Amino acid sequence: MNTFSDLMNLLLCFFVLLFSMSSVDEAKYNELVASLNNTFSIFESGATAIGEGVLMSHGVSQLNELDEYINSTGKTADSETDGEKLEEFEKNPESIEEVLEEQKLKNNELLAELVQEAVNESGMSEQIEVNFTAQYVQLTMKGALLFESGKSELKQNSLVVLDKAGVILERYGENTTIEIEGHTDNVPINSARFASNEELSSARALSVFYYLVENTSLDPLMLKHAGMGDRMPIADNSTIEGRSKNRRVEIRIYNPS
């Protein structure tokens, strides 16, 4: 009787265990299986090895089933997708440039937003204009803010603006090419110091270059400067307002890529 009662107790525990397992929430169970499958690449059939049977005892014989394993982990699909993309790019090389240009434009848009936020925080939104292309993010300052008419020496009250611009360049332009361009209107100049607007714009760009080199931690090797004269107007030179806009200094933070 003692042996029989022990057997009955064991059977009772066994059936209670089976009952508890049968009450698993099917929806939660399926979510768990799907999660594990995505994370660990569990086979749909529940196999525990690359092929059926004991992995270690079969040894290298299961390498024949390696393709099935790779397929189950999704590697083949990725390879096929990459292959299709490569084939597409080979047929249409221009698409590669389009993808790269689009990505650079997105990157520079994000950088321009950060730079604009920094300009706003420094209270320089009226003195510094921010815009961007796929190649660079640009800070534009009016020439009248930085220089007296026909001169290349920086105004004393413009140094505050350049100091704040330098902080922004240190934060977002480190380890990338920065170009400083001077621009003028189309009114001819022929002074004792400057024979043309080309020389004046070059001297103004150089003045900003020297100031940034001396007052920031920017690498001089990453800084470029150029004078563009009146060759690249952004407004109508036939009006006073247009000429004022054309007299400017542009600082470009180039996309590292």
Side-chain angles (χ1 to χ4, degrees):
M1 290 181 64
N2 290 335
T3 302
F4 182 78
S5 62
D6 288 341
L7 178 60
M8 291 300 101
N9 287 333
L10 290 174
L11 288 174
L12 177 62
C13 292
F14 177 70
F15 283 113
V16 170
L17 179 62
L18 290 178
F19 178 78
S20 64
M21 293 178 64
S22 66
S23 62
V24 175
D25 189 328
E26 183 178 357
K28 292 184 178 179
Y29 178 77
N30 290 334
E31 291 180 2
L32 174 62
V33 171
S35 176
L36 292 175
N37 185 42
N38 291 333
T39 305
F40 300 108
S41 300
I42 295 175
F43 297 112
E44 294 180 359
S45 60
T48 57
I50 293 178
E52 295 299 331
V54 182
L55 177 61
M56 296 304 296
S57 63
H58 287 181
V60 296
S61 65
Q62 293 196 359
L63 291 177
N64 295 327
E65 315 241 357
L66 185 58
D67 289 341
E68 179 183 350
Y69 171 75
I70 294 176
N71 289 336
S72 69
T73 60
K75 298 301 183 182
T76 300
D78 293 340
S79 300
E80 290 178 355
T81 302
D82 293 341
E84 291 174 358
K85 290 181 179 179
L86 181 59
E87 185 177 351
E88 180 183 349
F89 287 151
E90 289 177 349
K91 292 180 180 178
N92 185 17
E94 291 79 7
S95 62
I96 300 179
E97 296 181 2
E98 292 176 0
V99 171
L100 292 177
E101 287 296 305
E102 182 179 354
Q103 186 59 49
K104 289 194 293 185
L105 187 63
K106 290 181 180 179
N107 293 341
N108 283 352
E109 182 178 8
L110 293 175
L111 178 57
E113 290 177 358
L114 295 174
V115 172
Q116 184 65 66
E117 183 178 350
V119 169
N120 294 340
E121 290 178 354
S122 64
M124 295 286 110
S125 57
E126 294 184 2
Q127 289 80 14
I128 301 176
E129 179 183 347
V130 180
N131 48 54
F132 66 94
T133 68
Q135 284 70 44
Y136 53 78
V137 174
Q138 179 173 285
L139 285 71
T140 302
M141 292 170 281
K142 292 182 178 181
L145 171 69
L146 302 176
F147 309 100
E148 297 288 352
S149 178
K151 297 183 179 179
S152 63
E153 293 79 12
L154 291 168
K155 290 182 178 180
Q156 190 63 35
N157 57 4
S158 71
L159 303 184
V160 176
V161 179
L162 284 177
D163 287 337
K164 294 184 177 181
V167 172
I168 295 173
L169 294 173
E170 288 175 330
R171 186 185 305 172
Y172 299 110
E174 189 175 6
N175 300 323
T176 188
T177 301
I178 296 176
E179 185 173 23
I180 305 163
E181 284 189 358
H183 298 265
T184 67
D185 57 28
N186 66 345
V187 177
I189 182 174
N190 189 4
S191 64
R193 184 173 178 185
F194 303 112
S196 66
N197 283 325
E198 294 289 334
E199 292 186 11
L200 175 61
S201 61
S202 296
R204 288 181 170 180
L206 192 59
S207 293
V208 176
F209 168 82
Y210 283 143
Y211 188 84
L212 292 177
V213 169
E214 294 171 0
N215 296 276
T216 69
S217 60
L218 294 171
D219 184 357
L221 296 177
M222 304 300 289
L223 293 176
K224 299 166 60 178
H225 57 87
M228 307 304 293
D230 59 1
R231 288 174 285 155
M232 298 179 65
I234 58 174
D236 187 0
N237 272 314
S238 63
T239 65
I240 296 177
E241 182 179 2
R243 290 193 294 272
S244 176
K245 290 182 178 180
N246 289 332
R247 295 189 298 269
R248 67 196 188 277
V249 171
E250 297 174 346
I251 302 178
R252 297 173 177 174
I253 305 173
Y254 278 87
N255 191 310
S257 59

